[in-house]
Amino acid sequence: MAIAFVLLAISLAAFGSARPEKTGAPSLSATLAKVIAKVAPAASDKQSPSPPHAQVAKVAAPAAPAVAPVAPPPSAATPAVAAPMMAPARASSSTVGQAPPLQRSAAAPELAATPPPAPPSPPPPAAKPEPRSTCTNPDALGVSRYVQIDTTGGPGFGFEHFKEYDFLQPNEVVLTFDDGPWPGNTPAVLAALAAECIKATFFPIGKHTMWHPEILRQVAAAGHTIGSHTWSHADLSKKTPQEAKDEIEKGISAVRFALNAPPAPFFRFPDLRHPPEMVTYLGQRNIAIFSTDIDSFDFKMHRPQQVIHSVMTKLKKRGKAIILLHDFQHATSLALPELLRQLKAGGFKIVHMVPKAPVQTIASYDEEIRKEQALPTVTTRPISQVVKTISQ
């Protein structure tokens, strides 16, 4: 349209120059110049606006010059340099809306909205480590294997009465002690076991536990497993079912009271007499029953050598065993150091039993035990911390 106005202006100018102008009136060329000045900007304003991608390109980078400068001719001393090109009228489809790499962060806010990488998943919990001895004696017999007993359903152990669960391998031994705790004898047994870094299982009598709770706490502090052995060591085969249940439950609650924690769900019948009704009851209570493979009969012996001979003779014949001893017996406490040495010399290994979970005591029996303590004191410290010899 601008070109049309220019051609019209030229034609009118030529026509006007051929005509005489009136005095005082503006010339035709002057009038035409004014018209062109008004019309040309209007025509320019009606041109189509620049496309949006061109506007983005301008914001992202400065515009190139409209006319390319003339480059000097190349010479041998000056390398040829390409002259900058005219700014393109349109950006290619592959670069529309993009900024130079150095300005990417300013022109691409979507990067800031990108979520941070998820934190790594926590590692799975480590498996509970197997109990380990802190023994400092390199020549000690020690514990060769720990076994965990799941007492659900009241399984029975010990070939004298139960033959289903034989978990011992050749030359393996489990040491068990009944009828404690007892002053003098039980501490001597603990000392002999500690010297050889051995763990054992104890079946204390409820009454003895109440008489000497501080000794039973020493057993627990040494890392031994503690079960129960009735309240008064009564022959349950001669009791009514309810009386037998009372003996069992009261004995368990007495151990719990002394330890201030529930013991293992391990039980041994006095005199190894197993009334069927009580075997069923213990199964319902999820308490394991322990008979024996070898009964030392140390309660009939008065000399340490007799105890050692009884155990070793039977063990060499059998090859492996759950052994029944009594920390209540004085001869046993004296025989134990030599008995352990002979076990080591004979190539026998110690296995220690631990429960999968503690026993669940019955609240009514727990309360009965508390009431039997005429004047219970607040402290549960062992006697060694309460009474000390300061002069002798």
Side-chain angles (χ1 to χ4, degrees), residues 316-374:
K316 289 176 181 178
K317 182 178 179 180
R318 183 172 184 84
K320 62 180 183 179
I322 297 174
I323 300 175
L324 170 55
L325 296 159
H326 295 80
D327 57 313
F328 178 77
Q329 299 296 326
H330 186 58
T332 300
S333 68
L334 298 177
L336 193 57
E338 178 59 27
L339 176 60
L340 298 179
R341 283 191 288 270
Q342 292 196 21
L343 288 175
K344 182 180 178 182
F348 293 98
K349 300 177 181 180
I350 302 298
V351 173
H352 181 49
M353 305 182 301
V354 297
K356 183 177 180 180
V359 71
Q360 297 294 320
T361 58
I362 297 176
S364 59
Y365 290 99
D366 291 343
E367 181 63 25
E368 184 177 349
I369 291 297
R370 282 192 291 267
K371 288 180 179 179
E372 290 200 8
Q373 296 297 103

Side-chain angles (χ1 to χ4, degrees), residues 157-162 176 178-179 203 229 233-237 267-275 279 289-297 299 322-324 326:
F157 300 90
F159 258 46
E160 190 165 326
H161 295 91
F162 308 103
T176 66
D178 289 9
D179 295 357
F203 294 95
H229 196 40
H233 203 271
D235 182 351
L236 301 189
S237 64
F267 180 81
R268 178 171 275 158
F269 282 93
D271 299 324
L272 299 180
R273 294 181 180 177
H274 302 74
V279 171
I289 305 167
F290 287 87
S291 179
T292 185
D293 297 330
I294 292 177
D295 189 344
S296 66
F297 290 102
F299 59 92
I322 297 174
I323 300 175
L324 170 55
H326 295 80

Side-chain angles (χ1 to χ4, degrees), residues 209-210 212-214 216-218 220-221 226 251-264 358-359 361 366 369-370 377-381:
T209 294
M210 300 306 292
H212 307 289
E214 75 286 351
L216 191 65
R217 287 194 285 270
Q218 293 175 23
I226 301 176
I252 296 173
S253 291
V255 175
R256 186 192 190 287
F257 185 86
L259 298 177
N260 197 30
V359 71
T361 58
D366 291 343
I369 291 297
R370 282 192 291 267
T377 58
V378 174
T379 182
T380 58
R381 292 182 298 156

Side-chain angles (χ1 to χ4, degrees), residues 54-218:
Q55 294 178 6
V56 173
K58 289 179 181 179
V59 172
V67 180
V70 178
S75 64
T78 305
V81 179
M85 300 299 293
M86 218 175 166
R90 295 178 62 89
S92 66
S93 61
S94 61
T95 59
V96 172
Q98 293 185 0
L102 293 178
Q103 299 181 4
R104 181 65 179 173
S105 59
E110 68 273 12
L111 294 180
T114 303
S121 300
K128 187 176 181 180
E130 181 183 82
R132 297 294 182 185
S133 173
T134 57
C135 181
T136 57
N137 178 7
D139 297 323
L141 177 55
V143 176
S144 66
R145 187 161 68 103
Y146 288 80
V147 296
Q148 184 186 78
I149 306 296
D150 184 348
T151 63
T152 303
F157 300 90
F159 258 46
E160 190 165 326
H161 295 91
F162 308 103
K163 298 177 172 59
E164 185 175 1
Y165 298 107
D166 179 17
F167 60 88
L168 292 179
Q169 301 170 5
N171 293 335
E172 286 189 336
V173 169
V174 172
L175 296 176
T176 66
F177 295 88
D178 289 9
D179 295 357
W182 202 251
N185 299 337
T186 301
V189 167
L190 293 176
L193 295 173
E196 291 292 340
C197 303
I198 292 174
K199 305 300 180 186
T201 300
F202 288 75
F203 294 95
I205 296 174
K207 280 186 176 181
H208 293 181
T209 294
M210 300 306 292
W211 294 341
H212 307 289
E214 75 286 351
I215 298 178
L216 191 65
R217 287 194 285 270
Q218 293 175 23

